[in-house]
Amino acid sequence: MNRNALKYTIAAALTFGALYLAFRGQDVNTLFSIVKQANIFALFGIVLFQLIAHFIRAWRWQYLLSPVKTEVGLFNSFKAVVAGYAMNNIIPRAGELIRPAMIARSEKIPFAAALATIVLERILDVVALGSILTASLFIFRKQFEAAFPEIASSTLPVLIVIAVVLILFVIVLVNKTVEALLLKLIATVFPQKVAVFLGTAFDTFTTGLRGLSQKTILPIIIGTIGVWLFYSFSTYAGIFVFMGSGIENIGYDGALALLALTGISITIPTPGGTGTYHYFISRALAGFFSIALPSAIAFATITHAVNYIAITLLGLFYMLRAGVSLGKAKEANQEKKGTPKHALRT
């Protein structure tokens, strides 16, 4: 209870703090008058491309789940993906439990096995986001250094860490002795609770990755490219929301920079990037492309709201129809934590 209270307090503080930084000094009436000028077709394009990206993510998830079940329903996978994002929009990280709970219920597969695929998916997304961020830093290096010096200075070390971790995972996959040594090192270096968490996550990831066949690798790569390609299309459609504001002139490369910052904002534990998205995107538009701050904030507000509302409503509808709740998902996760390690490998 205390841990949850602290977690929610931190999330609320981050959300309202970021919203304050984004909206401070702005006139609400001015922002509202700008929002009313939004292009409805651009807003429709934002949501449409997001849903297509989620559909591709659901298709890719079928291949990640293939070691557990060879034929997973695509629509069941899609509903679970959207429901997961809906819960993330309400409670940060809650969707990581809802997704495996829904697919486990609809496809009659173990919750623990479904949860393992979420870890695999996050690694793929980190690699994709890191690639987009690197490209954006190369194109807009001076702008990043001026507007977000903390990101510009920390990106290279983060990418190096990601590369080292991926190399270690490859080594672990071909040599189980190395895996055992790393698990022993984790148990030695970290406190018991942290070591158990890291060791379980590490073992779950490597177990799930070993279960994939060579036939699934290419679809997973294509799916990852497709997911982030349509995310970029969604962001690109968004730049035409306020024609005449100058945002439409930032081009596709500018949209990629916004997408990279969107990815960063969502990794911060706020509900669906609320506050953090508004701060990063408005600051980037004003700092990178000299967009008037009221237009930049109005853009961040309307593009976030249209996705947030559409995905949350659709996802909650799927959850209610499936009869899945966060409480049931937490119960399944607690049962998974009590499962012996050898049972996770079955």
Side-chain angles (χ1 to χ4, degrees):
M1 291 290 291
N2 291 335
R3 185 182 302 173
N4 286 336
L6 178 61
K7 181 171 62 177
Y8 297 146
T9 300
I10 292 174
L14 289 172
T15 300
F16 289 111
L19 285 171
Y20 169 76
L21 290 175
F23 285 90
R24 63 178 173 178
Q26 297 301 308
D27 181 68
V28 176
N29 292 326
T30 300
L31 294 177
F32 185 68
S33 65
I34 297 173
V35 168
K36 288 194 297 184
Q37 302 172 24
N39 183 333
I40 190 68
F41 295 106
L43 295 177
F44 177 78
I46 292 172
V47 176
L48 177 63
F49 287 129
Q50 279 284 327
L51 288 174
I52 294 174
H54 293 337
F55 190 82
I56 297 173
R57 183 180 290 276
W59 175 78
R60 182 187 65 177
W61 197 19
Q62 288 180 300
Y63 289 94
L64 293 173
L65 288 165
S66 60
V68 185
K69 187 176 181 180
T70 54
E71 294 184 6
V72 173
L74 180 57
F75 190 46
N76 285 336
S77 177
F78 174 74
K79 289 188 291 185
V81 166
V82 177
Y85 278 105
M87 281 306 302
N88 282 340
N89 285 346
I90 300 171
I91 303 174
R93 306 293 181 263
E96 313 303 321
L97 296 179
I98 290 296
R99 275 185 63 184
M102 281 192 64
I103 202 69
R105 185 185 184 110
S106 61
E107 293 291 334
K108 305 297 187 292
I109 60 179
F111 174 86
L115 184 62
T117 63
I118 305 299
V119 180
L120 290 170
E121 186 178 89
R122 287 295 164 260
I123 296 295
L124 294 171
D125 286 338
V126 167
V127 173
L129 177 60
S131 301
I132 294 171
L133 180 58
T134 301
S136 298
L137 280 169
F138 179 78
I139 297 171
F140 300 104
R141 180 176 58 83
K142 292 182 179 179
Q143 291 91 331
F144 263 100
E145 290 176 349
F148 302 103
E150 63 280 3
I151 293 177
S153 61
S154 63
T155 299
L156 182 58
V158 170
L159 291 175
I160 292 174
V161 170
I162 292 173
V164 170
V165 170
L166 289 176
I167 292 171
L168 282 174
F169 276 131
V170 171
I171 295 173
V172 165
L173 288 177
V174 298
N175 193 327
K176 291 187 177 183
T177 303
V178 177
E179 178 184 3
L181 289 174
L182 285 175
L183 288 172
K184 186 176 180 179
L185 180 63
I186 290 173
T188 304
V189 173
F190 295 96
Q192 184 179 3
K193 288 186 177 180
V194 177
V196 170
F197 172 79
L198 293 176
T200 302
F202 183 82
D203 181 72
T204 300
F205 175 81
T206 54
T207 300
L209 196 56
R210 284 198 183 100
L212 299 175
S213 66
Q214 291 184 350
K215 294 181 179 180
T216 64
I217 300 300
L218 183 59
I220 289 172
I221 294 173
I222 293 173
T224 301
I225 294 172
V227 166
W228 286 89
L229 184 64
F230 275 91
Y231 281 163
S232 71
F233 291 164
S234 178
T235 307
Y236 183 68
I239 72 175
F240 299 101
V241 165
F242 297 126
M243 298 297 293
S245 65
I247 300 176
E248 71 275 13
N249 297 324
I250 70 174
Y252 185 71
D253 52 353
L256 282 180
L258 295 184
L259 177 59
L261 290 169
T262 299
I264 293 172
S265 71
I266 292 176
T267 60
I268 300 172
T270 61
T274 303
T276 51
Y277 175 88
H278 300 77
Y279 172 75
F280 280 111
I281 298 303
S282 61
R283 188 172 172 182
L285 286 172
F288 286 27
F289 308 106
S290 301
I291 303 298
L293 191 55
S295 294
I297 295 175
F299 170 88
T301 301
I302 191 67
T303 54
H304 181 269
V306 68
N307 260 327
Y308 187 98
I309 294 171
I311 298 302
T312 302
L313 291 178
L314 183 61
L316 290 179
F317 171 76
Y318 287 148
M319 277 182 61
L320 291 174
R321 288 289 300 272
V324 173
S325 66
L326 182 58
K328 292 179 180 179
K330 286 182 176 179
E331 288 177 7
N333 190 44
Q334 289 300 321
E335 292 175 4
K336 176 256 177 187
K337 288 180 179 179
T339 304
K341 184 180 290 188
H342 64 81
L344 296 177
R345 296 184 179 275
T346 59

